Amino acid sequence: MDLDELLSLARAAAWAGARTATCWRGRVHRLLVEEKAGPDDLVSQADRDTERAVRTVLAVHRPHDPVLGEEEGTSGGRGPVRWVVDPIDGTTNYLYGRPDWAVSVAAADADGGRLLAGVVIEPSLGRLTEARAGHRTRANGTPVTALGQHDLTRALVELNLGRPGQRRMAGPMVSALLPHVRDLRRGGSAAAALAQVATGRADALWAPGLQPWDCAAGVLLVQQAGGAVGDLTRPLPGTWPPSGDVLAAPPALWEPLRALLTPVYSGEASLTGG
């Protein structure tokens, strides 16, 4: 497979989605908004139209590849590449007019799940971060600086609170981290947060309870920027954690963060892949 071609297609598909989502942003007051799992899990016509725009581009160029998207599930055939799409990651931010939302498109090996190419666009900020396996992550066309933060006390850590059953650990998690790091942030979009780690706008991310579409592209961005990504068991080079619990950081910070977080979540079967 030509990884440059896959990256080019991921970029084109993500831009198509970003244009659709941005168009809807100007008419957001007309959107019908629904709750999926609860009041913090929203979906709108903008999400669905954005995913269709992404899928349309992918279908024109690689009609036999399967596609996994947040809104339409799995579709497609038996091609060698599986596309993983989050049309608007951070829908609540998007609907409230906040900037932390992103369009995320990743290409992975359909058999083993190895990440091949990934693009995250943050339309409100005019930022496109992209990577393909074997090459340094680029931000708006410029290679990023390799992740080198080694001082935990100077680390800005992005957070996600996790699935409903994991949210009861939010307080203990903050208490475990806050005395040891520079500060904590919760932007509300895992895809955007991973792009921020890859580009040095945050130093690490702890995001339990993710789905593949939330993190597939962003995981590759961090890995190809020299970072480590895994769950609380171990780093997983080249792919995303099947548990959905994502710790992303420069290599020097990954183990210290894991050591702080593991006691908080030690009773969670999801964090061991069980």
Side-chain angles (χ1 to χ4, degrees):
M1 289 178 284
D2 187 321
L3 299 187
D4 288 326
E5 287 186 5
L6 292 180
L7 179 58
S8 179
L9 179 53
R11 186 189 310 122
W15 271 125
R19 287 191 292 269
T20 299
T22 301
C23 181
W24 263 117
R25 260 304 303 149
R27 300 174 288 149
V28 71
H29 61 284
R30 296 172 54 187
L31 285 170
L32 174 63
V33 180
E34 304 168 34
E35 296 180 2
K36 293 193 285 188
D40 60 340
D41 188 8
L42 304 178
V43 65
S44 72
Q45 190 61 44
D47 297 82
R48 298 186 179 101
D49 286 354
T50 299
E51 183 165 321
R52 290 182 189 124
V54 172
R55 286 176 177 268
T56 296
V57 173
L58 297 176
V60 168
H61 296 276
R62 296 189 65 93
H64 303 298
D65 286 344
V67 180
L68 171 64
E70 179 176 12
E71 307 307 335
E72 297 188 11
T74 299
S75 63
R78 300 181 179 179
V81 176
R82 181 191 190 199
W83 297 89
V84 187
V85 176
D86 196 332
I88 300 177
D89 187 62
T91 298
T92 300
N93 287 341
Y94 172 84
L95 295 171
Y96 273 81
R98 299 173 67 89
D100 274 19
W101 60 276
V103 179
S104 175
V105 179
D109 183 276
D111 292 326
R114 182 173 68 94
L115 288 164
L116 305 173
V119 174
V120 173
I121 298 178
E122 299 166 83
S124 294
L125 303 180
R127 299 187 71 110
L128 182 150
T129 312
E130 63 184 8
R132 61 96 151 169
H135 277 234
R136 179 64 56 83
T137 300
R138 302 175 75 90
N140 287 347
T142 301
V144 302
T145 301
L147 302 185
Q149 177 63 268
H150 61 276
D151 186 348
L152 189 61
T153 66
R154 289 175 169 78
L156 182 66
V157 181
E158 271 279 350
L159 300 174
N160 179 51
L161 301 183
R163 293 180 287 268
Q166 294 172 316
R167 290 191 166 216
R168 61 185 174 82
M169 275 84 79
M173 177 263 289
V174 170
S175 295
L177 290 177
L178 196 54
H180 302 282
V181 302
R182 170 168 277 161
D183 212 341
L184 303 174
R185 294 289 186 272
R186 182 174 184 261
S189 165
L194 286 161
Q196 289 161 15
V197 173
T199 55
R201 292 174 285 152
D203 295 303
L205 168 70
W206 167 238
L210 300 184
Q211 297 289 345
W213 49 77
D214 297 316
C215 64
V219 163
L220 185 64
L221 301 183
V222 173
Q223 291 171 340
Q224 295 305 130
V229 183
D231 55 21
L232 295 187
T233 60
R234 64 194 185 282
L236 294 164
T239 189
W240 63 91
S243 64
D245 302 308
V246 175
L247 177 60
L253 300 187
W254 197 91
E255 178 56 33
L257 286 168
R258 188 201 69 81
L260 292 171
L261 290 163
T262 297
V264 178
Y265 295 89
S266 58
E268 290 297 297
S270 65
L271 296 172
T272 61

